[in-house]
Amino acid sequence: MSQSAVKASGVTDAPDAGRWKALVFIALAQLMVVLDATIVNIALPSAQQDLGISDGNRQWVVTAYALAFGGLLLFGGRIADLWGRKRTFVTGLAGFAVASALGGAATNEAMMFGSRALQGVFGALLAPAALSLLAVMFTDAKERAKAFGIYGAIAGGGGAVGLILGGFLTEYLNWRWTFFVNIPFAIVAAAGAYLVIREPKGGRNRSPLDIPGVILSTLGLVALVYGFTRAESNGWSDALTIGMFVGSAVLLLAFVIVESKVKAPLLPLRVITERNRGGIYLSLGLAIIAMFGLFLFLTYYLQIVKGYTPVKTGFAFLPMIAGMITGSTQIGARLMTRVAPRLLMGPGFLVAAVGMLFLTQLEINTSYAGVLLPGMLLLGLGMGTAFMPAMSMATMGVEARDAGVASAMVNTSQQVGGAIGTALLNTIAASATTSYIADHMGGAASRSQQQLVQLEGQVQGYTSAIWFAGGILVVAAAIALTLINAGRPGGSAVTGSGAGEEAEDELRVPVVAH
């Protein structure tokens, strides 16, 4: 690394000898957070029954976490920059473990909702700290590619692993263990991180905390996530849903104005206005919209239409996990130092779109081996290949003092993308299902024929939404190919990009993350 590169990166230490050990504990913490997103969904019906949660309130088991996590991510990233990433990481793990214990011990719905919100608060500390630690510890291009390959595979495939683990725990123990299982994860990760992580010096951002920015960003993101969550259950024309979207737009616009004027902004606009990072955040958010919706529809399809048990459903997702691991660690990590990131991300999203194309062929009696297996394999392969350079590039070239907040933006694009995906694709599916049943129910004379029409209507809804999700992936690929113009790590920016020498030098330095 040249002296100018070292200066630009803000990293003056030699590479930490314990960085690969540290990666194990950082990856373990990331796996815990990603698992939690899907493992609780599997347990929700059992928990709802045990705690007497009404159908109208059950969404808060998911929503309470999403609002706290999504709303506080930027604040969590800034705390990591200010307070120290290692300390923030360990604190986040400890708090997440305590919140998980409260969730597992819940005796009523209020205790459950409170524990989920608390998980979201500490998750918002943990997730940006984990990615930014990875970014500042791995500065060599080849090592960075391997590290982010592993991290990308976990970020992409962990949700599917959660379906398997959630199925096992719910079916063979009880729903409470889907919360208790986080505790050993957190203890091992926190103890390991405390002992082996050595954060590089000189990377703290000791500027005063931007309180107006914290308030505006938190309220704006909470309103946005809640708006999409409410749209899913109450419809897009609901007055409060519309009010949330309008309020979110006003708050986030005010946030941008404040950030452009204050001396020490919560989110320095230089982090998101740089062409490559902006392209990463946008394309990644779109890809998550497609992926989150698909997880939901395939889970419903396998359990309701095909009659799979929770455990069998989890195992049915294994090809997607295998594809993500292969794409991230074998394709993305190996090619990251040889080709420009956009040449991995664009084709990766397109391969995933081909996987979606397979899944649009779903019918009631569809063969798993003929349609589901190749579709999920291609989807996983494409997403894994694209996620790896996206995770790395999102923080590449960022000054060390901005590492946490740049990492938080990756999480924010994923969290907002997930909320949009679930609400938007659910609405499309429900509309297609209603339309199909209205058109075909008249010809169903017997009860069995009516049930068949209802099942066919559900499948029609799923495939309509999957078509839409495939289109979103094509748009994500187009954005990645046109906006992202950085050269391969260690190379220069793509010629003709209009980037000056300063921008090119910045892109050569792999300095920050999630």
Side-chain angles (χ1 to χ4, degrees), residues 107-313:
T107 54
N108 54 52
E109 63 177 33
M111 190 172 172
M112 170 61 77
F113 300 156
S115 69
R116 288 291 285 159
L118 201 59
Q119 277 186 316
V121 170
F122 285 104
L125 283 178
L126 173 61
L131 188 54
S132 55
L133 272 172
L134 208 60
V136 298
M137 293 180 78
F138 289 91
T139 54
D140 176 77
K142 289 186 178 179
E143 287 193 348
R144 186 182 175 91
K146 290 178 184 176
F148 275 89
I150 294 166
Y151 190 90
I154 290 171
V161 175
L163 293 171
I164 299 174
L165 188 57
F168 265 109
L169 293 172
T170 304
E171 206 164 312
Y172 298 115
L173 292 171
N174 66 51
W175 65 267
R176 295 183 185 277
W177 283 95
T178 61
F179 285 89
F180 291 146
V181 74
N182 290 331
I183 298 171
F185 273 94
I187 290 172
V188 171
Y194 183 79
L195 293 173
V196 306
I197 289 179
R198 185 176 67 86
E199 189 176 346
K201 295 176 182 178
R204 295 270 188 97
N205 185 343
R206 301 185 186 277
S207 303
L209 191 60
D210 171 21
I211 300 297
V214 169
I215 294 170
L216 289 169
S217 67
T218 301
L219 292 178
L221 289 170
V222 164
L224 184 63
V225 173
Y226 184 56
F228 280 109
T229 304
R230 188 175 173 85
E232 182 188 351
S233 55
N234 294 73
W236 296 88
S237 59
D238 174 72
L240 184 54
T241 301
I242 295 170
M244 283 292 161
F245 286 136
V246 172
S248 172
V250 171
L251 287 164
L252 292 177
L253 179 61
F255 171 67
V256 171
I257 293 170
V258 167
E259 298 309 276
S260 68
K261 295 183 181 301
V262 297
K263 186 176 180 181
L266 174 70
L267 174 62
L269 296 183
R270 61 180 176 269
V271 171
I272 56 173
T273 54
E274 196 278 315
R275 176 173 177 164
N276 290 280
R277 281 192 290 276
I280 292 282
Y281 297 145
L282 188 56
S283 60
L284 195 59
L286 286 170
I288 293 293
I289 288 176
M291 194 169 165
F292 264 59
L294 184 78
F295 267 139
L296 187 69
F297 298 132
L298 283 185
T299 302
Y300 282 143
Y301 174 79
L302 291 169
Q303 291 195 19
I304 296 173
V305 179
K306 304 295 278 187
Y308 284 19
T309 63
V311 172
K312 191 175 180 182
T313 300

Side-chain angles (χ1 to χ4, degrees), residues 12-85:
T12 56
D13 292 356
D16 180 11
R19 61 193 178 282
W20 291 107
K21 291 179 183 177
L23 175 62
V24 173
F25 301 112
I26 292 169
L28 188 63
Q30 174 66 10
L31 179 61
M32 179 189 73
V33 173
V34 176
L35 281 175
D36 194 70
T38 49
I39 202 171
V40 172
N41 288 345
I42 295 285
L44 185 52
S46 302
Q48 181 185 354
Q49 187 175 0
D50 273 8
L51 300 179
I53 301 173
S54 68
D55 286 347
N57 284 340
R58 70 180 175 186
Q59 64 157 331
W60 284 100
V61 176
V62 175
T63 304
Y65 177 86
L67 293 182
F69 186 69
L72 292 170
L73 272 168
L74 286 176
F75 180 54
R78 180 67 178 83
I79 289 295
D81 290 335
L82 178 69
W83 199 26
R85 297 171 192 92

Side-chain angles (χ1 to χ4, degrees), residues 472-494:
I472 291 174
L473 283 175
V474 172
V475 174
I479 289 171
L481 287 168
T482 54
L483 278 186
I484 300 167
N485 63 359
R488 62 184 177 82
S492 62
V494 174

Side-chain angles (χ1 to χ4, degrees), residues 341-505:
R342 66 193 178 114
L343 299 181
L344 288 174
M345 290 185 64
F349 288 140
L350 290 175
V351 169
V354 173
M356 290 280 194
L357 192 61
F358 266 90
L359 296 172
T360 60
Q361 309 307 307
L362 288 180
E363 295 176 355
I364 289 179
N365 298 315
T366 292
S367 156
Y368 178 84
V371 174
L372 286 158
L373 177 63
M376 286 197 283
L377 192 59
L378 285 170
L379 186 72
L381 200 64
M383 287 294 202
T385 301
F387 273 13
M388 186 266 143
M391 292 288 185
S392 179
M393 275 292 298
T395 51
M396 188 174 290
V398 179
E399 296 177 38
R401 63 193 173 121
D402 295 334
V405 77
S407 301
M409 274 302 299
V410 179
N411 286 294
T412 302
S413 66
Q414 290 176 310
Q415 186 67 21
V416 172
I420 295 171
T422 304
L424 182 62
L425 296 180
N426 246 357
T427 303
I428 293 167
S431 177
T433 297
T434 302
S435 178
Y436 183 91
I437 291 174
D439 291 344
H440 294 80
M441 190 59 83
S446 66
R447 183 178 176 82
S448 61
Q449 286 176 323
Q450 290 173 354
Q451 289 176 336
L452 181 63
V453 168
Q454 287 178 335
L455 280 179
E456 287 173 342
Q458 287 187 35
V459 175
Q460 180 68 28
Y462 302 153
T463 55
S464 297
I466 291 170
W467 271 111
F468 197 85
I472 291 174
L473 283 175
V474 172
V475 174
I479 289 171
L481 287 168
T482 54
L483 278 186
I484 300 167
N485 63 359
R488 62 184 177 82
S492 62
V494 174
T495 56
S497 68
E501 290 181 12
E502 183 182 348
E504 289 190 11
D505 182 59

